[in-house]
Amino acid sequence: MNDKKSAAQADELELQELGDYLARQDFSRESDPAEVLRQVKSRSIQKQQEDDRMKNKQRVRRPVMIAASLLVAAVVSISFVRPSFAQEMLERVLNSVHLGHIEVAQMDGSHPKEFPDDWKGKIFDQEGKPVTSFNPMPEAIFNAAGEAIVNFDGDKLITLSEQEQLDKEASEQKFIVKETAKLDQYALFKVKLPEYLPEGFAFERGEFYKDETGVSGQIVELFFASKDKDKRIWMQLRLANEENAFSMATDDKVEQVKIKGTDAVLVSDRSLDWEANGVMYGLSTRGLDRAEVLKIAESINW
């Protein structure tokens, strides 16, 4: 009986810690504006990653996704969510996976999201009618001046021109490497690339981020181009330490799997995260099936 009570207390403490963590995190993500707002409850949380980028330390949506995976590489803003939102997220946790410096939480996606009061009277559809609910949400949304809204930072709505400026500032902090042989010159770890890529894919570039001393080697993002524009492979490798640790939350399926005997977390059958030999690996894909995703990961000789 005492063992059950202790286990329950441990679970409660773990969830409370997750809630406290969520209260400090960014819930913005890369997507079209309507999808961003519809899926606000399905945000990839990355521990201070984007904040690090903006402060010229290193780069982190998404990521989502997550980064983290989940294709959140282009997110450049960060803010703190409301405590009530964090509590709501806490109550929706269905499952969580912990892998060293990586934490992934699966959320209950059926929980309705309350439309933020700060957005009321600020979002309009193409005909100028106010938008006051996530359901339905128009494909294109605008502010009162008719400017397209393409992202958000906490409760702050970001217009297209503002996002373009943020993207420009972020791109100025990038250091591009187009030859695989040169990646190890800048990374603080051995950069391991997949030995298998689906047909039509090829390495395109690696991206590092600049800090006050020059090129930061703690994180590298790897992009693989495909002849098929509907398909994509993106990877992020990080030096495994507390500074680069991150958490993700999603209402997609979360599954713990094995990659060459190493624990990994698979999200929505298209994104993988794991840690091995002092490096955190994030693999994100679009247009590939589960078998291909696992095959790519298995081909990395870490």
Side-chain angles (χ1 to χ4, degrees):
M1 187 72 175
N2 288 336
D3 290 342
K4 290 183 178 179
K5 183 177 181 181
S6 297
Q9 290 175 338
D11 289 342
E12 182 178 358
L13 178 60
E14 181 178 345
L15 289 176
Q16 184 59 54
E17 289 175 348
L18 176 59
D20 292 341
Y21 185 84
L22 289 171
R24 302 193 300 273
Q25 301 311 309
D26 172 30
F27 280 78
S28 61
R29 60 177 291 222
E30 176 192 34
S31 183
D32 65 86
E35 185 66 15
V36 167
L37 297 179
R38 280 196 298 267
Q39 299 297 328
V40 65
K41 59 183 179 296
S42 174
R43 165 65 177 131
S44 294
I45 311 165
Q46 302 192 20
K47 182 182 179 182
Q48 296 300 327
Q49 180 184 1
E50 305 307 333
D51 194 41
D52 287 342
R53 268 193 172 190
M54 296 302 289
K55 293 179 180 178
N56 298 338
K57 291 181 180 178
Q58 60 205 34
R59 146 102 165 135
V60 22
R61 215 57 130 203
R62 12 5 257 57
V64 256
M65 172 291 235
I66 221 146
S69 320
L70 303 182
L71 302 179
V72 292
V75 180
V76 295
S77 59
I78 185 166
S79 67
F80 299 100
V81 299
R82 299 180 306 278
S84 60
F85 190 12
Q87 180 61 34
E88 174 192 320
M89 296 295 287
L90 173 62
E91 294 171 352
R92 293 174 48 217
V93 175
L94 299 177
N95 179 35
S96 61
V97 178
H98 305 265
L99 304 174
H101 295 90
I102 300 167
E103 298 181 17
V104 180
Q106 181 176 350
M107 317 302 288
D108 179 4
S110 65
H111 193 285
K113 176 68 182 73
E114 181 181 354
F115 198 84
D117 289 336
D118 287 347
W119 289 354
K120 293 178 180 178
K122 297 179 181 179
I123 301 178
F124 303 85
D125 64 15
Q126 200 161 9
E127 297 178 354
K129 297 178 181 178
V131 176
T132 59
S133 172
F134 287 112
N135 186 25
M137 177 67 67
E139 291 301 319
I141 53 177
F142 306 85
N143 63 15
E147 299 174 289
I149 298 171
V150 298
N151 207 337
F152 66 94
D153 181 1
D155 285 341
K156 181 181 182 299
L157 300 164
I158 299 176
T159 65
L160 176 60
S161 60
E162 290 171 334
Q163 186 62 57
E164 288 175 343
Q165 180 60 33
L166 290 171
D167 291 343
K168 179 182 178 181
E169 292 171 359
S171 67
E172 291 173 350
Q173 306 308 318
K174 295 179 181 179
F175 180 79
I176 310 298
V177 176
K178 294 192 174 183
E179 299 177 39
T180 58
K182 293 184 177 181
L183 292 171
D184 288 340
Q185 294 180 20
Y186 303 98
L188 296 179
F189 46 83
K190 186 73 174 178
V191 178
K192 301 289 188 177
L193 299 174
E195 294 188 3
Y196 166 77
L197 291 173
E199 184 177 357
F201 275 96
F203 176 80
E204 182 180 48
R205 70 187 188 279
E207 293 185 359
F208 294 88
Y209 294 86
K210 302 173 185 177
D211 58 21
E212 59 275 6
T213 63
V215 177
S216 172
Q218 291 210 44
I219 297 176
V220 58
E221 293 175 356
L222 306 172
F223 297 86
F224 301 85
S226 172
K227 296 176 182 178
D228 185 344
K229 300 305 180 183
D230 292 330
K231 295 182 178 181
R232 174 184 179 182
I233 298 173
W234 168 78
M235 289 187 66
Q236 185 182 82
L237 277 60
R238 306 182 184 204
L239 188 66
N241 56 32
E242 289 302 317
E243 184 178 2
N244 293 327
F246 68 88
S247 293
M248 298 191 301
T250 178
D251 57 10
D252 287 332
K253 181 178 70 173
V254 172
E255 179 184 0
Q256 187 165 337
V257 298
K258 293 280 189 181
I259 302 296
K260 297 196 300 187
T262 298
D263 287 331
V265 57
L266 177 66
V267 178
S268 193
D269 288 339
R270 67 175 183 268
S271 299
L272 269 171
D273 286 279
W274 70 97
E275 183 175 333
N277 296 329
V279 178
M280 299 155 65
Y281 292 84
L283 169 64
S284 293
T285 68
R286 183 175 64 203
L288 303 182
D289 61 26
R290 173 193 174 97
E292 288 277 54
V293 174
L294 295 174
K295 188 173 181 179
I296 294 168
E298 292 276 1
S299 75
I300 302 172
N301 294 316
W302 63 81

